[in-house]
């Protein structure tokens, strides 16, 4: 509910459904092992946009920041090839 209120305040009320669909697509891609890395990258990008919107709207950015860190940690744990590419291990 708070997210919808904030989106309306920032002029994004007409896009709330689209953002919800995008979140569902990212979650569905995350469940399929073959598209999981893509979902992780899309999720990180989405949360980066959320942090930007929070920052511009003078909202605290801790929640999207913690979620983004969590997505990175889970992606690195779940996809060893991503860890190898990022850290050369």
């Amino acid at each position: 509910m708070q997210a919808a209120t904030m989106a309306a305040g920032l002029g994004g009320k007409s896009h709330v459904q689209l953002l919800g669909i995008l979140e569902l697509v990212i979650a569905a891609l995350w469940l399929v092992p073959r598209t999981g890395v893509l979902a992780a990258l899309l999720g990180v990008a989405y949360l980066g946009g959320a942090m930007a919107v929070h920052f511009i709207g003078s909202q605290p950015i801790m929640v999207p920041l913690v979620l983004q860190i969590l997505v990175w940690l889970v992606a690195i744990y779940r996809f060893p090839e991503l860890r190898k590419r990022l850290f050369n291990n």
Side-chain angles (χ1 to χ4, degrees):
M1 194 65 167
Q2 182 184 3
T5 305
M6 189 173 81
L10 293 172
K13 187 176 182 179
S14 63
H15 302 292
V16 171
Q17 284 183 330
L18 180 63
L19 292 174
I21 291 169
L22 181 60
E23 290 174 4
L24 289 174
V25 167
I26 292 170
L29 288 172
W30 183 266
L31 294 175
V32 179
R34 192 173 198 132
T35 59
V37 173
L38 175 63
L41 295 175
L42 288 173
V44 166
Y46 182 86
L47 289 167
M51 283 193 301
V53 169
H54 276 75
F55 186 73
I56 290 171
S58 298
Q59 300 286 327
I61 64 167
M62 282 306 290
V63 172
L65 179 66
V66 169
L67 288 173
Q68 187 175 49
I69 291 170
L70 183 65
V71 168
W72 272 114
L73 291 175
V74 171
I76 287 171
Y77 177 76
R78 183 173 178 207
F79 306 109
E81 69 275 9
L82 185 60
R83 182 179 343 132
K84 287 178 186 176
R85 286 189 178 262
L86 290 176
F87 301 114
N88 254 346
N89 289 355

